[in-house]
Amino acid sequence: MIKKITFIICFFLIFSCKTEKIRWYVKGSDKTYEYVYEENKILVDGRIYCLVDENSYLISKTNEKLGMLKITHNKIIESYYLPDDCQKFFYTIEFDRKTGKMVKFTTYDDGLGSYVHEYDKKTGKEIKSTSYDDDGKIDYVHEYDKETGKEIKSTSYNDGKIRYVVEYDKETGKEVKSTSYHDGKIDYVCEYDKETGKEIKSTSYNDGKIWYVDEYDKETGKKVKSTSYDDDGKIDYVSEYDKNTGEEIETNWFD
């Protein structure tokens, strides 16, 4: 009788465990792991995922806490602790539930976000990266085209405020616009031809208002027009120049 009961229990345990294959995407690589479902547990590649609430799992290995796994409506989020501190995270990986691709990778420094990399859920290409300073304020942001992978915008900060923005053409990769800021207000804007890379327009500001605008020929690079504004934002005068020699042709003043 005891042997029969033991056999029934073993039979039930063997067939109550479900073994499947899961496709795991990490930084563009494609790995396949075997995972086993047990009651309130998932076993993957030597790691144990223990259910702690409705959608969260504690990740452990040989009785060592490694991190947490959280499942939401459209994401799977893995967060791993620092080796010597189970209260602070070292890095977090987020996966899209439909495509299985990584959509976000975050590293931490003393509990604060240090670097955040974001990826397109369909192409898997990086679309944005953000770095933070020691105070947890944004330091730099780089944005990329999801199709070409080329950088299309970079933004630098100073003490959490925008300091400089550079924009690039997604096809040629050439700089097409740069904007500098002072005390949170636009200070200077330069625009460039996406093919030649030459400056075609520059705009200066005074306390957030347009001060003067210079325009340049995209072939010769010579200034062809200059417009100055008064304190009320009205045009003060306009000067025009020869595109080949750069010599002034005429200046018109406005009352």
Side-chain angles (χ1 to χ4, degrees), residues 180-231:
S180 62
Y181 293 78
H182 180 69
D183 290 337
K185 297 179 181 179
I186 295 177
D187 187 39
Y188 198 77
V189 177
C190 289
E191 298 175 51
Y192 306 88
D193 183 77
K194 68 178 182 179
E195 299 296 337
T196 65
K198 290 184 177 181
E199 185 177 6
I200 54 175
K201 188 177 181 181
S202 66
T203 306
S204 293
Y205 293 77
N206 183 20
D207 196 28
K209 296 179 181 179
I210 295 178
W211 187 15
Y212 63 85
V213 178
D214 288 330
E215 298 174 53
Y216 304 86
D217 184 81
K218 68 177 182 179
E219 299 297 336
T220 64
K222 299 284 187 180
K223 186 181 351 183
V224 293
K225 188 177 181 180
S226 182
T227 305
S228 177
Y229 295 79
D230 61 23
D231 294 338

Side-chain angles (χ1 to χ4, degrees), residues 30-224:
D30 181 359
K31 297 180 180 179
T32 302
Y33 291 124
E34 185 178 84
Y35 68 97
V36 180
Y37 282 113
E38 288 183 356
E39 186 178 1
N40 295 330
K41 288 183 181 180
I42 303 176
L43 311 179
V44 184
D45 192 36
R47 290 173 292 178
I48 303 170
Y49 294 72
C50 296
L51 186 67
V52 292
D53 59 40
E54 185 177 359
N55 295 307
S56 299
Y57 293 82
L58 175 67
I59 307 171
S60 61
K61 192 172 186 178
T62 61
N63 297 321
E64 177 187 2
K65 287 184 180 180
L66 298 179
M68 293 292 296
L69 173 73
K70 190 171 183 64
I71 300 173
T72 68
H73 176 68
N74 56 2
K75 291 181 182 178
I76 298 174
I77 305 169
E78 280 193 90
S79 301
Y80 289 88
Y81 297 116
L82 287 166
D84 56 350
D85 189 346
C86 291
Q87 301 301 316
K88 296 179 180 178
F89 288 122
F90 178 40
Y91 66 90
T92 296
I93 309 173
E94 296 182 25
F95 299 89
D96 181 80
R97 287 191 66 176
K98 289 184 178 181
T99 65
K101 291 184 180 293
M102 180 172 64
V103 292
K104 194 173 184 180
F105 182 85
T106 305
T107 60
Y108 299 88
D109 183 10
D110 196 28
L112 297 174
S114 181
Y115 292 95
V116 178
H117 298 273
E118 298 174 53
Y119 304 84
D120 183 76
K121 65 181 180 180
K122 293 182 179 180
T123 65
K125 290 183 180 292
E126 185 171 8
I127 54 175
K128 189 177 182 180
S129 65
T130 306
S131 63
Y132 296 80
D133 61 24
D134 295 337
D135 295 323
K137 296 178 181 178
I138 295 177
D139 194 18
Y140 284 95
V141 176
H142 297 278
E143 298 175 52
Y144 307 87
D145 183 76
K146 67 179 181 180
E147 301 297 337
T148 64
K150 290 184 177 181
E151 186 172 12
I152 54 175
K153 188 177 181 180
S154 67
T155 307
S156 63
Y157 294 75
N158 182 26
D159 196 29
K161 295 181 180 179
I162 295 178
R163 180 179 59 183
Y164 204 72
V165 178
V166 180
E167 298 173 52
Y168 306 88
D169 182 76
K170 68 177 183 179
E171 300 296 337
T172 65
K174 290 184 179 292
E175 183 177 339
V176 292
K177 188 177 181 180
S178 64
T179 306
S180 62
Y181 293 78
H182 180 69
D183 290 337
K185 297 179 181 179
I186 295 177
D187 187 39
Y188 198 77
V189 177
C190 289
E191 298 175 51
Y192 306 88
D193 183 77
K194 68 178 182 179
E195 299 296 337
T196 65
K198 290 184 177 181
E199 185 177 6
I200 54 175
K201 188 177 181 181
S202 66
T203 306
S204 293
Y205 293 77
N206 183 20
D207 196 28
K209 296 179 181 179
I210 295 178
W211 187 15
Y212 63 85
V213 178
D214 288 330
E215 298 174 53
Y216 304 86
D217 184 81
K218 68 177 182 179
E219 299 297 336
T220 64
K222 299 284 187 180
K223 186 181 351 183
V224 293

